[in-house]
Amino acid sequence: MLFMLHIDVSIPAEMPKEAQLALRERGNTRAMQLVNEGVIVRIWRVVGRVANFSVWDAPTLEALHELVMSMPLFPLHEDQCHAIDRPPRDAVC
Amino acid sequence: MLFMLHIDVSIPAEMPKEAQLALRERGNTRAMQLVNEGVIVRIWRVVGRVANFSVWDAPTLEALHELVMSMPLFPLHEDQCHAIDRPPRDAVC
Amino acid sequence: MLFMLHIDVSIPAEMPKEAQLALRERGNTRAMQLVNEGVIVRIWRVVGRVANFSVWDAPTLEALHELVMSMPLFPLHEDQCHAIDRPPRDAVC
Amino acid sequence: MLFMLHIDVSIPAEMPKEAQLALRERGNTRAMQLVNEGVIVRIWRVVGRVANFSVWDAPTLEALHELVMSMPLFPLHEDQCHAIDRPPRDAVC
Amino acid sequence: MLFMLHIDVSIPAEMPKEAQLALRERGNTRAMQLVNEGVIVRIWRVVGRVANFSVWDAPTLEALHELVMSMPLFPLHEDQCHAIDRPPRDAVC
Amino acid sequence: MLFMLHIDVSIPAEMPKEAQLALRERGNTRAMQLVNEGVIVRIWRVVGRVANFSVWDAPTLEALHELVMSMPLFPLHEDQCHAIDRPPRDAVC
Amino acid sequence: MLFMLHIDVSIPAEMPKEAQLALRERGNTRAMQLVNEGVIVRIWRVVGRVANFSVWDAPTLEALHELVMSMPLFPLHEDQCHAIDRPPRDAVC
Amino acid sequence: MLFMLHIDVSIPAEMPKEAQLALRERGNTRAMQLVNEGVIVRIWRVVGRVANFSVWDAPTLEALHELVMSMPLFPLHEDQCHAIDRPPRDAVC
Amino acid sequence: MLFMLHIDVSIPAEMPKEAQLALRERGNTRAMQLVNEGVIVRIWRVVGRVANFSVWDAPTLEALHELVMSMPLFPLHEDQCHAIDRPPRDAVC
Amino acid sequence: MLFMLHIDVSIPAEMPKEAQLALRERGNTRAMQLVNEGVIVRIWRVVGRVANFSVWDAPTLEALHELVMSMPLFPLHEDQCHAIDRPPRDAVC
């Protein structure tokens, strides 16, 4: 079961530079774990923003929910979460 | 050079059912051409909407522009177009 | 697999009264079919609007997509579609 | 008298992790009380967000108001509150 | 049970002047009926707009829904519908 | 001269509970003064929100401005302020 | 009693060029009448848009409402209407 | 060269009352200077908000920019800035 | 005196293909005239949209207004118009 | 490869004046470096706002991303980033 996440991160301006770096590092580490476990099957950065698109694969909705909640940057996200499927060849839209 | 398109189609309610079908058929045909030519490298439908996410690969911005403009459903789209890249392993966000 | 749909119908002002009634009747008939088939498991009208909330149950995302697309009022909808789950007792939010 | 609440929680990024957990625990405890008292008659989490849909049943508008205000997470909510009814079989929309 | 409706009417620019007048006349007639029946208990025009605020009193949510739907201008409305109550003297907000 | 205020209060999540209560109490006290002085001629709470609708009567625009500015909760308000009038019986909209 | 109107005109693209010109001419004629009668006391065009700001002076809210409604372009307006006053020298904001 | 500024001030709720007053006093002092120098040629408060409309006259765009930036309340403003002109009598819109 | 225009064209879906082409051709012809006359000093297409950014140079605001209004696609535009200047080297923002 | 950035800076009101100045100075210094290196090929301030438009030229999307991320004011930006191209003479839109 696939989901497209569009995550747009707003790091508060008043957070010290080192705290920002530490937070982003933890976010990267966790994302790479999920890539290695096959949960995040694709990921692209949005050029010019602290944002990305990623395709998630999870066996159940409950599992997906727990996985998204485990992201360290979570409270800084404005994200959109869309269930997606691979269209049949003749019905793209 | 990669771009993520998020296309959300609004078919006018007053358009006759057959015209809608013909239009969507032409849209599907053109999309499949672009898939076969390697321009659209991934495509997912958004479940529950006439919408999709697609990853486009084009050699130049000019080429990308012409390709997007060639979509038959174009004037019905509300779309967002983001330049994306594949992040290095340790800098997802 | 459960989804919450929040459907808000905009009937075009210039559509003749009888066409509106015919359309809403077909919408109601189809909705009742889906209720009888166990696809729509709950439905509530929003008081004071042509709108409703409904809980859909479908075996796959592909099936859900086809079912939503089969609604006669579809091009008139502005709808939101959220994957939902029944929370465990101690983790409502 | 039924109401649909769509609650979307924004936990401030700068709130310490433990304070966040304590707050969500109190929110869960109170929600479960309301479930046991029959005030919240249904509840679903939105997958991938700190958000939920819930159906509330209250004898009067005044009672409903006091009950919603009693939620510990209240100032962190962006919520929408819709009066709803169970539609007759032939008038879903 | 009280509701505040904030109704903002968008008459389509291309509708002929006479049709507009006829429609507004039917809207006024129906509104005055509801005033006489005690359903609309207060009504104010918004100065400088085709818009108004009105307080509705209905015995049930189902009744309220039917009454709002009976307004001739309905498909032209963008309206907001809020359940309201008269606050106790010491708890206005 | 009448005005409809739609006030929606956002109490900052990080404000301590007692400060919140003290602020709301001062807001209630001031509102009741204005009710007793005949400035606020009607007031309704919005069910399920820290929000209300109120009808204000003031002899001049300057007077109205000073009265609204005197509300203790002012910097926490997102409010809308509409000049309104009582429509003649046959021209509600 | 002063009001600031910010009027932004959307002429439908499908309206024939001559109808557009006739409509704008009638709008200009009516505006000039109101200028001559002292109702519109100032008017500025917004550079690069079919839009303007104007200051209206009317003895009552009822009078203002009728005057705004008398504008020929009315159904094409998206306008905002703010009650304003001339601030005392030491309290501009 | 004329510009219409629509300034809407959001004073942070957590700023102490005296700091707020001091800030608004400095804002008023600077605005009055600009009025005396003929830069701000008109100014109106928006009734019921900490907001105003003002007409600015500056010899060049560079000069205008420096003048707006000199306002003490600047970082608290959400403002809109429109180039305007006095329309010829027969072309108001 | 420089202005940045961000023009986003919405061609109505129901306009016949030839009418669309004719309109865009007239738009291009007029834009090229303005380029040749030195009014439009720079122009860029937005990749993947019928949209562009352009820098306009006009001796007065009145002249700029007439020039923008002369664009054949005008009623189809949603555009934003910003006065801009070339910043001094040490004050870009 | 060209990109148009529209950067709108929100400096938090509670940041001390000197910190604001230091931050803007660092932002200016970095922007001037990028101008000297030929990355930012044009830059205009938006009159009356802490905002600017700039045209960036970068050999790859990855390079562009790193360059934008290197701006000192980054977490304070609300920016939009559009891929652009120089249109052929006869196809401006």
Side-chain angles (χ1 to χ4, degrees), chain A residues 4 24 28 32 35-36 42-47 52-53 55 73 82-85 87 89-93, chain B residues 4 24 28 32 35-36 42-47 52-53 55 73 82-85 87-93:
Chain A
M4 174 69 82
R24 289 175 70 175
N28 283 326
M32 279 305 112
V35 168
N36 291 336
R42 307 227 177 271
I43 188 159
W44 299 270
R45 287 192 309 200
V46 179
V47 171
N52 50 48
F53 286 96
V55 178
L73 286 170
H82 298 272
I84 54 177
D85 65 7
R89 296 231 101 204
D90 56 349
V92 171
C93 65
Chain B
M4 175 70 80
R24 291 175 70 173
N28 283 327
M32 279 306 112
V35 168
N36 291 336
R42 305 226 179 272
I43 189 160
W44 297 271
R45 286 191 309 198
V46 179
V47 171
N52 49 50
F53 286 96
V55 178
L73 286 170
H82 299 273
I84 55 178
D85 65 6
R89 295 231 102 205
D90 56 350
V92 171
C93 65

Short mmCIF file of all heavy atoms in Angstrom, two decimals, chain A residues 4 24 28 32 35-36 42-47 52-53 55 73 82-85 87 89-93, chain B residues 4 24 28 32 35-36 42-47 52-53 55 73 82-85 87-93:
data_model
loop_
_atom_site.label_atom_id
_atom_site.label_comp_id
_atom_site.label_asym_id
_atom_site.label_seq_id
_atom_site.Cartn_x
_atom_site.Cartn_y
_atom_site.Cartn_z
N MET A 4 2.10 8.90 -0.90
CA MET A 4 3.01 9.98 -1.27
C MET A 4 2.97 11.00 -0.13
O MET A 4 1.91 11.54 0.18
CB MET A 4 2.55 10.64 -2.58
CG MET A 4 3.32 11.87 -3.00
SD MET A 4 5.03 11.50 -3.51
CE MET A 4 4.76 10.96 -5.22
N ARG A 24 18.26 18.19 12.03
CA ARG A 24 18.25 17.71 10.65
C ARG A 24 19.07 16.43 10.51
O ARG A 24 18.69 15.53 9.74
CB ARG A 24 18.78 18.79 9.70
CG ARG A 24 17.77 19.94 9.56
CD ARG A 24 18.28 21.09 8.74
NE ARG A 24 18.38 20.73 7.33
CZ ARG A 24 18.72 21.61 6.38
NH1 ARG A 24 18.95 22.87 6.71
NH2 ARG A 24 18.80 21.23 5.14
N ASN A 28 17.73 12.96 9.07
CA ASN A 28 18.36 12.23 7.98
C ASN A 28 18.65 10.78 8.36
O ASN A 28 18.42 9.86 7.57
CB ASN A 28 19.67 12.92 7.57
CG ASN A 28 19.40 14.15 6.73
OD1 ASN A 28 18.44 14.17 5.97
ND2 ASN A 28 20.22 15.17 6.88
N MET A 32 17.06 7.51 6.51
CA MET A 32 17.89 6.49 5.87
C MET A 32 17.57 5.10 6.42
O MET A 32 17.56 4.13 5.67
CB MET A 32 19.38 6.83 6.04
CG MET A 32 19.84 7.86 5.03
SD MET A 32 19.48 7.37 3.29
CE MET A 32 18.22 8.58 2.84
N VAL A 35 14.57 4.03 4.59
CA VAL A 35 14.95 3.64 3.23
C VAL A 35 15.52 2.23 3.25
O VAL A 35 15.14 1.37 2.44
CB VAL A 35 15.97 4.65 2.64
CG1 VAL A 35 16.57 4.10 1.35
CG2 VAL A 35 15.31 6.01 2.38
N ASN A 36 16.41 1.96 4.21
CA ASN A 36 17.05 0.64 4.27
C ASN A 36 16.05 -0.47 4.59
O ASN A 36 16.20 -1.61 4.14
CB ASN A 36 18.18 0.64 5.30
CG ASN A 36 19.34 1.51 4.83
OD1 ASN A 36 19.51 1.72 3.63
ND2 ASN A 36 20.11 2.04 5.77
N ARG A 42 11.05 5.67 -2.35
CA ARG A 42 11.65 6.72 -3.18
C ARG A 42 11.68 8.00 -2.37
O ARG A 42 10.79 8.22 -1.55
CB ARG A 42 10.84 7.02 -4.45
CG ARG A 42 10.54 5.84 -5.26
CD ARG A 42 10.82 6.03 -6.73
NE ARG A 42 10.54 4.75 -7.38
CZ ARG A 42 11.45 3.80 -7.53
NH1 ARG A 42 12.70 3.99 -7.16
NH2 ARG A 42 11.12 2.63 -8.08
N ILE A 43 12.65 8.85 -2.68
CA ILE A 43 12.71 10.14 -2.00
C ILE A 43 13.42 11.14 -2.91
O ILE A 43 14.40 10.82 -3.57
CB ILE A 43 13.39 10.01 -0.61
CG1 ILE A 43 13.27 11.31 0.18
CG2 ILE A 43 14.86 9.62 -0.73
CD1 ILE A 43 13.44 11.10 1.68
N TRP A 44 12.81 12.34 -3.01
CA TRP A 44 13.41 13.44 -3.78
C TRP A 44 13.37 14.70 -2.93
O TRP A 44 12.38 14.98 -2.27
CB TRP A 44 12.61 13.73 -5.05
CG TRP A 44 12.52 12.61 -6.02
CD1 TRP A 44 13.37 12.34 -7.04
CD2 TRP A 44 11.49 11.61 -6.09
NE1 TRP A 44 12.94 11.23 -7.74
CE2 TRP A 44 11.79 10.76 -7.17
CE3 TRP A 44 10.34 11.34 -5.33
CZ2 TRP A 44 11.00 9.67 -7.53
CZ3 TRP A 44 9.55 10.27 -5.67
CH2 TRP A 44 9.89 9.44 -6.76
N ARG A 45 14.46 15.46 -2.96
CA ARG A 45 14.43 16.79 -2.36
C ARG A 45 13.77 17.78 -3.31
O ARG A 45 13.93 17.67 -4.54
CB ARG A 45 15.85 17.30 -2.12
CG ARG A 45 16.56 16.63 -0.99
CD ARG A 45 17.82 17.36 -0.63
NE ARG A 45 18.66 17.61 -1.81
CZ ARG A 45 19.94 17.88 -1.74
NH1 ARG A 45 20.56 17.95 -0.58
NH2 ARG A 45 20.64 18.09 -2.83
N VAL A 46 13.07 18.74 -2.77
CA VAL A 46 12.56 19.84 -3.59
C VAL A 46 13.66 20.89 -3.66
O VAL A 46 14.15 21.36 -2.62
CB VAL A 46 11.27 20.44 -3.00
CG1 VAL A 46 10.78 21.59 -3.86
CG2 VAL A 46 10.20 19.36 -2.88
N VAL A 47 14.07 21.23 -4.85
CA VAL A 47 15.18 22.16 -5.04
C VAL A 47 14.82 23.54 -4.49
O VAL A 47 13.75 24.06 -4.81
CB VAL A 47 15.56 22.23 -6.53
CG1 VAL A 47 16.56 23.34 -6.80
CG2 VAL A 47 16.12 20.88 -6.98
N ASN A 52 10.64 17.71 0.85
CA ASN A 52 10.85 16.58 -0.04
C ASN A 52 9.55 15.86 -0.35
O ASN A 52 8.53 16.05 0.31
CB ASN A 52 11.90 15.60 0.52
CG ASN A 52 11.63 15.23 1.95
OD1 ASN A 52 10.52 14.88 2.30
ND2 ASN A 52 12.67 15.33 2.78
N PHE A 53 9.59 15.09 -1.41
CA PHE A 53 8.54 14.15 -1.74
C PHE A 53 9.08 12.75 -1.46
O PHE A 53 10.23 12.45 -1.80
CB PHE A 53 8.18 14.22 -3.23
CG PHE A 53 7.42 15.42 -3.63
CD1 PHE A 53 8.06 16.54 -4.15
CD2 PHE A 53 6.03 15.46 -3.51
CE1 PHE A 53 7.34 17.65 -4.54
CE2 PHE A 53 5.31 16.57 -3.90
CZ PHE A 53 5.97 17.67 -4.41
N VAL A 55 7.87 8.38 -1.35
CA VAL A 55 6.86 7.33 -1.52
C VAL A 55 7.09 6.30 -0.43
O VAL A 55 8.20 5.79 -0.28
CB VAL A 55 6.98 6.69 -2.92
CG1 VAL A 55 5.96 5.57 -3.07
CG2 VAL A 55 6.79 7.74 -4.01
N LEU A 73 11.77 15.09 12.99
CA LEU A 73 11.39 16.46 12.67
C LEU A 73 9.88 16.67 12.75
O LEU A 73 9.38 17.75 12.42
CB LEU A 73 11.86 16.84 11.25
CG LEU A 73 13.36 17.09 11.07
CD1 LEU A 73 13.70 17.20 9.59
CD2 LEU A 73 13.75 18.38 11.78
N HIS A 82 -0.99 11.51 0.76
CA HIS A 82 -1.97 11.03 -0.21
C HIS A 82 -1.80 9.54 -0.45
O HIS A 82 -0.70 9.10 -0.80
CB HIS A 82 -1.77 11.72 -1.56
CG HIS A 82 -1.95 13.19 -1.55
ND1 HIS A 82 -3.16 13.80 -1.74
CD2 HIS A 82 -1.06 14.19 -1.38
CE1 HIS A 82 -3.00 15.11 -1.68
NE2 HIS A 82 -1.74 15.38 -1.47
N ALA A 83 -2.88 8.78 -0.30
CA ALA A 83 -2.86 7.40 -0.78
C ALA A 83 -2.74 7.44 -2.30
O ALA A 83 -3.39 8.24 -2.97
CB ALA A 83 -4.15 6.69 -0.38
N ILE A 84 -1.86 6.60 -2.83
CA ILE A 84 -1.65 6.59 -4.29
C ILE A 84 -1.67 5.14 -4.77
O ILE A 84 -1.51 4.20 -3.99
CB ILE A 84 -0.30 7.23 -4.68
CG1 ILE A 84 0.87 6.58 -3.94
CG2 ILE A 84 -0.31 8.72 -4.44
CD1 ILE A 84 2.26 7.12 -4.34
N ASP A 85 -1.89 4.97 -6.06
CA ASP A 85 -1.70 3.64 -6.63
C ASP A 85 -1.03 3.79 -7.99
O ASP A 85 -0.96 4.88 -8.54
CB ASP A 85 -3.01 2.85 -6.71
CG ASP A 85 -4.03 3.45 -7.67
OD1 ASP A 85 -3.72 4.41 -8.39
OD2 ASP A 85 -5.16 2.94 -7.68
N PRO A 87 -1.31 3.48 -11.66
CA PRO A 87 -2.48 3.39 -12.54
C PRO A 87 -2.29 2.28 -13.57
O PRO A 87 -1.17 2.01 -13.98
CB PRO A 87 -2.52 4.75 -13.22
CG PRO A 87 -1.12 5.24 -13.19
CD PRO A 87 -0.50 4.66 -11.95
N ARG A 89 -2.30 1.02 -17.34
CA ARG A 89 -1.69 1.73 -18.48
C ARG A 89 -2.66 2.69 -19.18
O ARG A 89 -2.26 3.71 -19.72
CB ARG A 89 -1.21 0.72 -19.55
CG ARG A 89 -0.11 -0.22 -19.08
CD ARG A 89 1.05 -0.20 -20.08
NE ARG A 89 2.12 0.62 -19.59
CZ ARG A 89 3.04 1.20 -20.40
NH1 ARG A 89 2.98 1.05 -21.72
NH2 ARG A 89 3.98 1.96 -19.90
N ASP A 90 -3.94 2.34 -19.19
CA ASP A 90 -4.88 3.15 -19.99
C ASP A 90 -5.78 4.01 -19.13
O ASP A 90 -6.83 4.44 -19.59
CB ASP A 90 -5.71 2.22 -20.88
CG ASP A 90 -6.43 1.18 -20.04
OD1 ASP A 90 -6.11 1.06 -18.83
OD2 ASP A 90 -7.30 0.50 -20.57
N ALA A 91 -5.41 4.26 -17.90
CA ALA A 91 -6.28 5.10 -17.06
C ALA A 91 -5.45 5.91 -16.10
O ALA A 91 -5.58 5.82 -14.88
CB ALA A 91 -7.29 4.22 -16.32
N VAL A 92 -4.59 6.73 -16.66
CA VAL A 92 -3.69 7.53 -15.84
C VAL A 92 -4.45 8.61 -15.09
O VAL A 92 -4.09 9.01 -13.99
CB VAL A 92 -2.59 8.15 -16.72
CG1 VAL A 92 -1.78 9.16 -15.94
CG2 VAL A 92 -1.71 7.06 -17.27
N CYS A 93 -5.51 9.11 -15.71
CA CYS A 93 -6.27 10.16 -15.03
C CYS A 93 -7.75 10.04 -15.37
O CYS A 93 -8.13 9.22 -16.19
CB CYS A 93 -5.75 11.55 -15.41
SG CYS A 93 -5.97 11.93 -17.13
N MET B 4 8.87 17.06 -10.35
CA MET B 4 7.67 16.40 -9.83
C MET B 4 6.47 17.27 -10.21
O MET B 4 6.42 18.44 -9.84
CB MET B 4 7.76 16.31 -8.30
CG MET B 4 6.53 15.76 -7.61
SD MET B 4 6.25 14.01 -7.91
CE MET B 4 7.39 13.28 -6.73
N ARG B 24 -10.44 12.56 -21.42
CA ARG B 24 -9.59 11.75 -20.55
C ARG B 24 -8.86 10.67 -21.35
O ARG B 24 -7.71 10.35 -21.04
CB ARG B 24 -10.41 11.12 -19.42
CG ARG B 24 -10.89 12.18 -18.42
CD ARG B 24 -11.80 11.64 -17.37
NE ARG B 24 -11.07 10.77 -16.44
CZ ARG B 24 -11.63 10.27 -15.34
NH1 ARG B 24 -12.88 10.57 -15.04
NH2 ARG B 24 -10.93 9.50 -14.54
N ASN B 28 -4.92 10.16 -21.44
CA ASN B 28 -4.25 8.90 -21.13
C ASN B 28 -3.31 8.49 -22.26
O ASN B 28 -2.19 8.03 -22.01
CB ASN B 28 -5.28 7.80 -20.89
CG ASN B 28 -5.90 7.93 -19.51
OD1 ASN B 28 -5.24 8.36 -18.58
ND2 ASN B 28 -7.16 7.58 -19.40
N MET B 32 0.73 8.01 -21.87
CA MET B 32 1.39 6.74 -22.15
C MET B 32 2.52 6.91 -23.16
O MET B 32 3.57 6.28 -23.04
CB MET B 32 0.38 5.69 -22.62
CG MET B 32 -0.37 5.07 -21.45
SD MET B 32 0.77 4.38 -20.16
CE MET B 32 0.48 5.49 -18.77
N VAL B 35 5.37 8.18 -21.25
CA VAL B 35 5.96 7.09 -20.47
C VAL B 35 6.86 6.25 -21.37
O VAL B 35 8.00 5.94 -21.03
CB VAL B 35 4.85 6.22 -19.83
CG1 VAL B 35 5.44 4.93 -19.26
CG2 VAL B 35 4.11 7.00 -18.73
N ASN B 36 6.35 5.91 -22.56
CA ASN B 36 7.13 5.07 -23.47
C ASN B 36 8.41 5.76 -23.95
O ASN B 36 9.42 5.11 -24.20
CB ASN B 36 6.28 4.66 -24.68
CG ASN B 36 5.17 3.71 -24.26
OD1 ASN B 36 5.29 3.02 -23.24
ND2 ASN B 36 4.09 3.70 -25.01
N ARG B 42 7.88 8.07 -13.70
CA ARG B 42 7.00 7.43 -12.71
C ARG B 42 5.67 8.15 -12.73
O ARG B 42 5.63 9.37 -12.96
CB ARG B 42 7.55 7.55 -11.29
CG ARG B 42 8.92 7.05 -11.12
CD ARG B 42 9.11 6.16 -9.92
NE ARG B 42 10.50 5.74 -9.94
CZ ARG B 42 10.93 4.66 -10.60
NH1 ARG B 42 10.09 3.88 -11.22
NH2 ARG B 42 12.21 4.36 -10.62
N ILE B 43 4.63 7.43 -12.40
CA ILE B 43 3.32 8.06 -12.31
C ILE B 43 2.47 7.29 -11.30
O ILE B 43 2.48 6.07 -11.25
CB ILE B 43 2.65 8.14 -13.71
CG1 ILE B 43 1.39 8.99 -13.66
CG2 ILE B 43 2.37 6.76 -14.29
CD1 ILE B 43 0.98 9.50 -15.04
N TRP B 44 1.78 8.05 -10.43
CA TRP B 44 0.86 7.45 -9.46
C TRP B 44 -0.45 8.23 -9.49
O TRP B 44 -0.44 9.46 -9.55
CB TRP B 44 1.40 7.57 -8.04
CG TRP B 44 2.68 6.87 -7.79
CD1 TRP B 44 2.84 5.57 -7.38
CD2 TRP B 44 4.00 7.42 -7.89
NE1 TRP B 44 4.17 5.29 -7.25
CE2 TRP B 44 4.90 6.40 -7.54
CE3 TRP B 44 4.49 8.66 -8.24
CZ2 TRP B 44 6.27 6.59 -7.54
CZ3 TRP B 44 5.85 8.86 -8.25
CH2 TRP B 44 6.73 7.83 -7.90
N ARG B 45 -1.56 7.54 -9.43
CA ARG B 45 -2.85 8.21 -9.25
C ARG B 45 -3.05 8.54 -7.78
O ARG B 45 -2.64 7.77 -6.90
CB ARG B 45 -4.00 7.29 -9.66
CG ARG B 45 -4.15 7.10 -11.14
CD ARG B 45 -5.44 6.41 -11.46
NE ARG B 45 -5.61 5.19 -10.67
CZ ARG B 45 -6.46 4.24 -10.98
NH1 ARG B 45 -7.20 4.34 -12.08
NH2 ARG B 45 -6.57 3.17 -10.22
N VAL B 46 -3.70 9.65 -7.51
CA VAL B 46 -4.11 9.95 -6.14
C VAL B 46 -5.46 9.28 -5.93
O VAL B 46 -6.40 9.54 -6.68
CB VAL B 46 -4.20 11.47 -5.90
CG1 VAL B 46 -4.65 11.75 -4.47
CG2 VAL B 46 -2.85 12.13 -6.18
N VAL B 47 -5.52 8.44 -4.93
CA VAL B 47 -6.73 7.67 -4.68
C VAL B 47 -7.88 8.60 -4.30
O VAL B 47 -7.73 9.46 -3.44
CB VAL B 47 -6.47 6.63 -3.56
CG1 VAL B 47 -7.76 5.96 -3.12
CG2 VAL B 47 -5.47 5.60 -4.05
N ASN B 52 -2.92 13.18 -10.14
CA ASN B 52 -1.78 12.26 -10.06
C ASN B 52 -0.50 13.01 -9.74
O ASN B 52 -0.41 14.23 -9.84
CB ASN B 52 -1.62 11.43 -11.35
CG ASN B 52 -1.66 12.27 -12.59
OD1 ASN B 52 -0.96 13.26 -12.69
ND2 ASN B 52 -2.50 11.88 -13.54
N PHE B 53 0.47 12.24 -9.31
CA PHE B 53 1.85 12.69 -9.15
C PHE B 53 2.66 12.01 -10.25
O PHE B 53 2.48 10.82 -10.50
CB PHE B 53 2.44 12.26 -7.80
CG PHE B 53 1.93 13.01 -6.62
CD1 PHE B 53 0.88 12.52 -5.86
CD2 PHE B 53 2.49 14.23 -6.27
CE1 PHE B 53 0.42 13.22 -4.76
CE2 PHE B 53 2.04 14.94 -5.17
CZ PHE B 53 0.99 14.44 -4.42
N VAL B 55 6.79 11.93 -12.11
CA VAL B 55 8.17 12.38 -12.17
C VAL B 55 8.57 12.47 -13.64
O VAL B 55 8.42 11.49 -14.37
CB VAL B 55 9.11 11.42 -11.41
CG1 VAL B 55 10.56 11.89 -11.51
CG2 VAL B 55 8.68 11.32 -9.94
N LEU B 73 -5.21 17.60 -21.58
CA LEU B 73 -6.08 18.11 -20.51
C LEU B 73 -5.58 19.45 -19.97
O LEU B 73 -6.13 19.97 -19.01
CB LEU B 73 -6.14 17.10 -19.35
CG LEU B 73 -6.98 15.85 -19.57
CD1 LEU B 73 -6.74 14.86 -18.45
CD2 LEU B 73 -8.45 16.21 -19.64
N HIS B 82 7.59 21.12 -9.39
CA HIS B 82 8.75 21.32 -8.51
C HIS B 82 9.99 20.67 -9.12
O HIS B 82 9.96 19.48 -9.42
CB HIS B 82 8.53 20.68 -7.14
CG HIS B 82 7.39 21.21 -6.37
ND1 HIS B 82 7.50 22.29 -5.54
CD2 HIS B 82 6.10 20.82 -6.29
CE1 HIS B 82 6.33 22.54 -4.98
NE2 HIS B 82 5.46 21.66 -5.42
N ALA B 83 11.06 21.44 -9.25
CA ALA B 83 12.35 20.83 -9.56
C ALA B 83 12.76 19.98 -8.36
O ALA B 83 12.63 20.40 -7.21
CB ALA B 83 13.39 21.92 -9.81
N ILE B 84 13.22 18.77 -8.63
CA ILE B 84 13.61 17.87 -7.55
C ILE B 84 14.97 17.26 -7.86
O ILE B 84 15.43 17.27 -9.00
CB ILE B 84 12.58 16.73 -7.34
CG1 ILE B 84 12.36 15.94 -8.65
CG2 ILE B 84 11.28 17.26 -6.80
CD1 ILE B 84 11.39 14.76 -8.50
N ASP B 85 15.63 16.74 -6.84
CA ASP B 85 16.82 15.96 -7.10
C ASP B 85 16.84 14.76 -6.16
O ASP B 85 16.08 14.71 -5.20
CB ASP B 85 18.12 16.79 -7.01
CG ASP B 85 18.39 17.33 -5.61
OD1 ASP B 85 17.66 16.98 -4.65
OD2 ASP B 85 19.34 18.11 -5.47
N PRO B 87 18.39 13.07 -3.29
CA PRO B 87 19.30 13.59 -2.25
C PRO B 87 20.46 12.62 -2.03
O PRO B 87 20.32 11.41 -2.19
CB PRO B 87 18.42 13.64 -1.02
CG PRO B 87 17.37 12.62 -1.25
CD PRO B 87 17.14 12.57 -2.73
N PRO B 88 21.62 13.16 -1.65
CA PRO B 88 22.68 12.29 -1.17
C PRO B 88 22.16 11.57 0.08
O PRO B 88 21.28 12.07 0.79
CB PRO B 88 23.81 13.24 -0.83
CG PRO B 88 23.20 14.59 -0.73
CD PRO B 88 21.96 14.58 -1.57
N ARG B 89 22.72 10.42 0.39
CA ARG B 89 22.23 9.54 1.46
C ARG B 89 22.12 10.23 2.81
O ARG B 89 21.27 9.90 3.63
CB ARG B 89 23.21 8.34 1.62
CG ARG B 89 23.28 7.43 0.43
CD ARG B 89 23.08 5.96 0.85
NE ARG B 89 21.75 5.52 0.55
CZ ARG B 89 21.14 4.51 1.20
NH1 ARG B 89 21.76 3.87 2.17
NH2 ARG B 89 19.91 4.17 0.90
N ASP B 90 22.99 11.20 3.05
CA ASP B 90 23.02 11.80 4.39
C ASP B 90 22.44 13.20 4.43
O ASP B 90 22.73 13.96 5.35
CB ASP B 90 24.46 11.81 4.91
CG ASP B 90 25.38 12.55 3.94
OD1 ASP B 90 24.93 12.86 2.82
OD2 ASP B 90 26.53 12.81 4.31
N ALA B 91 21.66 13.56 3.46
CA ALA B 91 21.11 14.93 3.46
C ALA B 91 19.74 14.93 2.82
O ALA B 91 19.48 15.62 1.84
CB ALA B 91 22.06 15.89 2.74
N VAL B 92 18.84 14.15 3.41
CA VAL B 92 17.50 14.02 2.85
C VAL B 92 16.71 15.30 3.02
O VAL B 92 15.86 15.65 2.22
CB VAL B 92 16.79 12.83 3.52
CG1 VAL B 92 15.34 12.81 3.13
CG2 VAL B 92 17.47 11.54 3.15
N CYS B 93 16.99 16.01 4.12
CA CYS B 93 16.24 17.25 4.32
C CYS B 93 17.14 18.30 4.99
O CYS B 93 18.26 17.99 5.37
CB CYS B 93 15.00 17.02 5.17
SG CYS B 93 15.37 16.52 6.82
#
